[in-house]
Structures are given as C-alpha cells and as structure tokens.
Amino acid sequence: MEKMYLKKKYFMSIFFMLIFCLMSSPSFSAPKSSKPAPKEAKSQSLSYATTPFDDTWKSLPKNYNGHDVVAVHKSLSKNLDIKKDEFETEAQFEKRKKEAWDKPILGKMTGRDNFAFVYEPETMYDAENSQFTIKIDNFQNIGVVLQESRIGEDKRGQDTVKRIHRDEKRKRIIRGKGTYNTDTSEAIFGAAIDAVGILEFFVVDFPKEDWPMLQQIAVDMPLEEARKNKEKIRVLFVGDPVSHSPREARVFAIFTVYVNYLKLNLKKVIIFNYQTGEIYRTIDKSDQAYRSEIKTRDFSKAIELDPNNAHYYSKRGDSYAQLKQYDNAIRDFSKAIELDPNKAIYYGQRGYSFMRLKQYDNAIRDYSSAIERDPNGFLYYGNRGDSYATLKQYDNAIRDYSKAIELNPNKARYYGNRGYSYAQLKQYDNAIRDFSSAIERDPNKAIYYTGRGDSYMKLKQYDDANRDFSKAKAIKLDPQ
C-alpha cells in the first residue's frame, strides 16, 4: 500500500511539473515582444483618440496611443449585430448592413473614417548598416495582437472553467468508475485553468496582399540615437475597418483563447517614437522605396538558391539603385556582367549607377559597351550624351542626342538636352529649333521655354524671350 501511495505521489509530481513547464512555455502564453509590451487592456489608464487620424501630421502627439481597439470592436459588435428579417428583401438587408457602418463607433467616428492602432514591435539593430529592423508578428497566422486580457476572474471566465470541469466529469462517468488517471487529469487541467484564467486577444488583421509590407521594415538611425530610442519605437497601423468577428474560441495546445478580430483596409504604416512623437518612416502601398526593399530581399533569397543566375543579380541591383544604394547596385551589375558579359542592359544599368555617383567616365565606358552589344538602344545614347554634356564635351553630347533622336524621334528630353548643348556652343538658332521641337512634344515643361527664352535673349529677340519667360513662369505657378 505504501509503495502504491509513493507511486501515485511520484506520478502526480511529474504531472504537475509537466503542466508548470507547459504554462511557462512561449507556445502556451501570449505573444511577447522583446520589450515588456503594455498590451494588457487598460482603457481606463490610457488616453485614446476619438477623432479620425490626421494625415497631415508631420509628427504625432507625444505618448500617442491611437484608437482603442477594444472600444472599436465592442462598438462594431453592437452596430453590426443585425439579422435579416423575414419580411425584408436581400437588397433591403444589405442596405441596412451598409447603414450600420455609418453609425458612430468612437465619438462621431464611423466605419468610413481612418483609424490608427498602436503596436509595440520587436526591434533588432544592425550596427553595420546603422538601421533598425522592425518585426511585426503575425501571431499563429491570426493577425497582430494589439491587446490581451485575462478573464478568468470574471463571470464568463468562471462559467468557462465550470464548463470544462463539467465536461471532464461527464467523460469520467461515460468511462465508468473514475480512475487515477482521469481524476488526476481533471485536477491538473482545472488547476491550470484556475492559474492562468482565460485569455482574450484583440487582433488586427489585414488583407493577404498587405502582409508583405509588414515582413521586415528598415529604419535608418545612427548608433547613439538608436541606443536611446530602442524602447520607444512603435508601429502605427492606419486604415479603415472592413469587417470584424465577435469572440471566437481558438484552442492553442490545452488552452482556449477568445479572439476578437478586426480586419483593416491598411492604408499606411508609420514607425514613430512613442515618447516624442517623431515619425521615423511612413510606408504606404504606393511607396516605391519599400517595394524595392521587398524586391531586394526576394532576389537575395533567389540568389541564395541559384548563385549563378545573372538575371537575379541584375534585378537586385536595379532594386538597390531605386533605393539609391548605388555602390551595392554596381556590385550586383558587375556580378551580372561577369556571369553574362554579352547582355547590353547590364552595362547600361551599371552606367546609370555610375552617373548617379558622378563617375561620368565610368558611365561613358559602360554605355559604350552597351551600345556595342545593342546599337539600337536609344537610352544608351541619350544617357551617354548626358554624361558627355556634364563633362562639357558638347560635340560628343550632340552626336549622341542626334542618334537617340534618330532612334526615338518622339522623346522631348533629347531635343531639350541637345538644345542646351547647342546653346553652350553658342549655336543659338539650332538651340531655338531644338527647344521648339521639345515644346511640341511636351508643352508643359517650363525648362524648355526658359532655354529657348535664353537663346532668344542672346540673339536680342527680346519680345520672343519675354513671351517664353512668361510662359515658363505660368507653368511653374500652375503646373498641370
């Protein structure tokens, strides 16, 4: 009997140690940031906004908390708790649902307004590149957890615990006489629920196509500034709600979590300093730079899988160039050329990056190599002409612009640049003719009127000059 008692005591100890480990594991707890995230629902102690987010802000108010996701969700749940009446048509019901979105949610805000929700992300500083990487956690693929609370102490939590105990008791009766294992299982399960309570998450989710915006966001910041501000970095999600779902029970391991979903039509993401309100970066769907960052990461992964593919290096180099990281771009274009030396576009791409770095001799050399491989590439002639003009080699520039015009006679820029080169050589009649051709093709470009006006002035044709200067001024005042 004593051995049996010791055996039971031993197994009970093992079971309780197991449940303790489970409760301590991140897999069974709420998602955690690298910092002590203030995600507990404390609407009473935090000050939340009750007016639409202001897109004109250059910085945010200090200690800005955005809108209260709990209050928004509860209001939407109340407003949208409508069911089709048997005496109304489908069209009438849809109209009533649409009208529900126009009801107030916060203050006078409706579902048509811009809401803003604050999230505390994980951050990792890259000292080599002097930038933070902002990580936004899509927890268990259900969305971004903005707030959480433990509801084991309220009535619903107590009812849930009672229901779990009741279900366990029913299982024990169905199996017959209670056994050591079922009794112990019930005791451990009940103790665990009592200890942690029932978790409730308030989650913001986004359309699938928006998630790439959120994978890894880079924010440039000097080292000393980064040290001071690491704990103050926050993310602001701005958009309008498009749908929501009431409390939905989700099971993670042995724990039931109630999840409240709010789907947001994401318009922009703002990285900011919570304490000062300084905005570090704003990203929206039209942000070309951020799309280039995503492409850069994607092509880096592609290169890892296929390191001898020249196309991947070329595309990553192009993304670097759009980010104005021209040294990285040149390195990638050079690798592409090494792998495929007969491709004209790789030389042209590298030539453009050399131009942006004001290395015009290198640019001319690359554009010449591109022209050797593609004699009909008008872009190469035009860009080489720009390099020659910058080096004040105007005869060479005119020759290249003339070839570019021959290959593409509809490009106003080539006439304008050739006109400028003629003007530098004091060939004002030719300059006027070229500026006029540029104006025919692009009549809303002030610089062409200014260039022609300057040439008229040199020829002392003052009335024509003043007419062009007035036109240029009008375009600058009222650009179309």
Side-chain angles (χ1 to χ4, degrees), residues 394-443:
Y394 298 114
D395 287 324
N396 288 334
I398 289 169
R399 189 160 45 247
D400 272 351
Y401 292 136
S402 298
K403 184 64 177 179
I405 289 169
E406 176 189 328
L407 294 168
N408 186 4
N410 296 318
K411 193 81 169 177
R413 183 174 77 85
Y414 298 149
Y415 293 94
N417 289 355
R418 189 174 67 178
Y420 171 81
S421 296
Y422 276 131
Q424 297 306 305
L425 294 176
K426 300 182 180 181
Q427 299 180 29
Y428 300 116
D429 287 326
N430 288 335
I432 290 170
R433 189 160 45 246
D434 267 350
F435 285 127
S436 297
S437 295
I439 289 168
E440 287 176 17
R441 289 158 178 80
D442 188 355

Side-chain angles (χ1 to χ4, degrees), residues 466-477:
N466 288 331
R467 191 162 45 248
D468 274 349
F469 292 146
S470 296
K471 182 65 176 178
K473 184 178 180 180
I475 291 173
K476 289 177 181 178
L477 291 174

Side-chain angles (χ1 to χ4, degrees), residues 337-368:
I337 289 169
E338 177 188 326
L339 293 169
D340 187 357
N342 295 317
K343 201 87 165 182
I345 191 172
Y346 300 159
Y347 294 93
Q349 289 172 316
R350 190 173 67 177
Y352 175 81
S353 293
F354 277 132
M355 277 183 68
R356 303 308 295 177
L357 293 176
K358 300 183 179 181
Q359 299 180 26
Y360 299 109
D361 288 328
N362 288 334
I364 289 169
R365 190 157 42 247
D366 268 348
Y367 285 128
S368 297

Side-chain angles (χ1 to χ4, degrees), residues 292 295-296 299-300 303 310-334 336 349-350 352-353:
S292 296
K295 289 180 182 178
T296 299
F299 284 116
S300 294
I303 288 169
H311 176 71
Y312 293 156
Y313 285 99
S314 168
K315 298 301 288 185
R316 189 175 69 175
D318 189 45
S319 297
Y320 278 134
Q322 291 178 26
L323 293 169
K324 300 182 180 180
Q325 298 180 21
Y326 298 114
D327 288 325
N328 288 335
I330 288 169
R331 190 158 46 245
D332 272 353
F333 295 139
S334 297
Q349 289 172 316
R350 190 173 67 177
Y352 175 81
S353 293

Side-chain angles (χ1 to χ4, degrees), residues 53-62 64 236 270-273 276-280 282:
F53 179 77
D54 190 345
D55 272 330
T56 65
W57 277 341
K58 300 301 181 185
S59 63
L60 299 177
K62 294 180 180 179
Y64 183 67
L236 192 68
I270 297 174
I271 313 300
F272 72 105
N273 185 308
T276 66
E278 179 184 357
I279 294 176
Y280 295 126
T282 300

